[in-house]
Amino acid sequence: MLSQNFTHLVSPFYKRIPNPLIISGPSYIGKKYLLNYLILNFNCQQINPLIDNTYSPSRIHKTDFNISKVIQSNKKPVTILPAHLISSFKFKYPLSRAIYLLPDSIELLEKRMKKQNLNPIQIETNLTNTLEELLYYNEYLKSLFDE
């Protein structure tokens, strides 16, 4: 369940966005949870740009996301993308907004991974990848995100 503070932050932010919203962040941060919350509470529709998980900038440019159809149906388009594809998506849809979910702590992510019954090697690999992604985000990607 989302905390009162989180709900308070999401409500005014998302009500004013008619254009695509991109959610990004490391594994086990809660991207899917936030997506589902927005769909249930803010008249959003998920766009699935890369269903087969082949992530590449050229794929972004070739894909029709049907965003105009979603907006015409009075829904707000929202998707989850890896951080390294945000610039390609924003190039194609310049009015889109992007948020990057940051963990409160690495310990919290580790706790979530343990709840998913990941083995210690998977947890270590995921945490290493998360730390690398956070460094990359801070160094190169932070300016692409709106909130």
Side-chain angles (χ1 to χ4, degrees):
M1 176 166 270
L2 292 175
S3 69
Q4 289 291 340
N5 291 337
F6 188 74
T7 304
H8 176 71
L9 291 173
V10 170
S11 299
F13 170 73
Y14 203 72
K15 283 182 180 177
R16 62 186 155 100
I17 298 175
N19 296 300
L21 175 67
I22 310 156
I23 301 169
S24 192
S27 297
Y28 297 93
I29 191 71
K31 297 180 296 281
K32 187 71 171 176
Y33 183 85
L34 175 58
L35 174 75
N36 290 333
Y37 181 84
L38 292 171
I39 289 169
L40 289 172
N41 295 289
F42 291 94
N43 197 31
C44 298
Q45 181 175 331
Q46 181 180 8
I47 53 172
N48 290 321
L50 306 168
I51 294 169
D52 61 1
N53 291 328
T54 55
Y55 298 122
S56 71
S58 64
R59 203 62 212 285
I60 295 281
H61 295 293
K62 294 177 187 173
T63 303
D64 177 14
F65 300 108
N66 296 316
I67 289 174
S68 58
K69 289 181 185 176
V70 173
I71 293 172
Q72 287 172 356
S73 69
N74 291 321
K75 299 269 188 182
K76 298 173 185 179
V78 62
T79 191
I80 296 172
L81 284 177
H84 71 278
L85 294 179
I86 301 301
S87 62
S88 297
F89 193 90
K90 284 188 136 196
F91 181 79
K92 186 170 183 170
Y93 299 102
L95 296 177
S96 62
R97 305 287 303 262
I99 58 172
Y100 190 87
L101 303 178
L102 293 168
D104 289 336
S105 70
I106 295 300
E107 291 78 20
L108 176 64
L109 290 179
E110 183 176 13
K111 185 177 176 181
R112 288 181 181 177
M113 291 176 199
K114 286 179 179 176
K115 281 185 181 179
Q116 296 293 323
N117 294 320
L118 297 179
N119 69 48
I121 294 171
Q122 290 173 309
I123 291 173
E124 183 178 335
T125 301
N126 284 338
L127 290 176
T128 300
N129 291 341
T130 295
L131 290 172
E132 289 175 7
E133 183 176 336
L134 292 173
L135 289 172
Y136 186 77
Y137 164 78
N138 281 319
E139 185 73 24
Y140 301 107
L141 300 176
K142 202 171 191 173
S143 63
L144 295 174
F145 291 88
D146 300 293
E147 303 286 334

